[in-house]
Amino acid sequence: QYLRGAMSSEGKEEDPRNELQRKKVVLSRQLIQLQGQLQMKERAAKSTELTIAEVKGLPKDTNSYRTVGRMFLATPLEEVKEGLREFLEETNKEIEQLKSKKRYLEKQAKQNLDELKQETEPVQTGG
């Protein structure tokens, strides 16, 4: 097997099943990474929603701060609320993009699996 892999890198034609297996591994890794990103964004959106709900009940004269690097900067409450709304809106857009990409990768993975099954079918029935 090691020699076969070395031969393929020297320009000989590679077995299509090996290529499909590699593609399957790459797609699986991409899906796992994407699911992690999606979960992280969904957590951030949920946390922001909860923060917005808490901030809504505060009186307008409440001292509010936002972080700038390592320091806190006094900011009007309405500005803080607007920043939270913008962050939530942007996060929701990113979530939709990630979901779309996930659907695409799942479709690619299914097609790859179908191709792999077609490639291995003749081998299994023939021998």
Side-chain angles (χ1 to χ4, degrees):
Q1 275 185 329
Y2 176 75
L3 290 176
R4 195 179 329 163
M7 288 179 185
S8 67
S9 66
E10 293 172 0
K12 291 192 177 186
E13 193 170 319
E14 193 170 333
D15 186 6
R17 286 177 286 176
N18 290 342
E19 182 61 34
L20 290 171
Q21 283 287 358
R22 261 195 283 295
K23 190 175 179 182
K24 177 183 172 189
V25 169
V26 168
L27 287 170
S28 294
R29 285 182 185 159
Q30 287 176 339
L31 266 170
I32 290 169
Q33 183 181 21
L34 190 72
Q35 287 171 335
Q37 291 173 345
L38 188 58
Q39 288 175 348
M40 187 175 69
K41 291 289 181 188
E42 287 173 339
R43 269 183 261 146
K46 184 66 176 170
S47 173
T48 304
E49 287 172 357
L50 293 172
T51 303
I52 289 171
E54 287 294 319
V55 170
K56 276 184 181 177
L58 296 175
K60 288 189 178 198
D61 62 340
T62 303
N63 293 333
S64 57
Y65 302 88
R66 65 182 171 100
T67 56
V68 179
R70 291 182 160 189
M71 66 179 197
F72 294 95
L73 186 63
T75 308
L77 187 58
E78 285 305 312
E79 199 174 309
V80 170
K81 289 178 182 180
E82 183 60 31
L84 288 169
R85 282 190 293 269
E86 288 174 5
F87 179 77
L88 182 59
E89 193 175 300
E90 184 64 33
T91 302
N92 285 333
K93 285 180 186 176
E94 290 172 4
I95 287 171
E96 287 307 311
Q97 290 172 347
L98 289 171
K99 284 181 178 180
S100 175
K101 191 173 182 180
K102 181 182 174 187
R103 285 189 295 270
Y104 173 77
L105 286 176
E106 287 172 340
K107 182 180 173 185
Q108 290 294 105
K110 184 181 181 327
Q111 287 176 349
N112 185 58
L113 185 61
D114 291 344
E115 289 175 20
L116 190 59
K117 284 180 182 177
Q118 288 176 355
E119 284 294 324
T120 57
E121 230 172 57
V123 173
Q124 290 174 350
T125 57

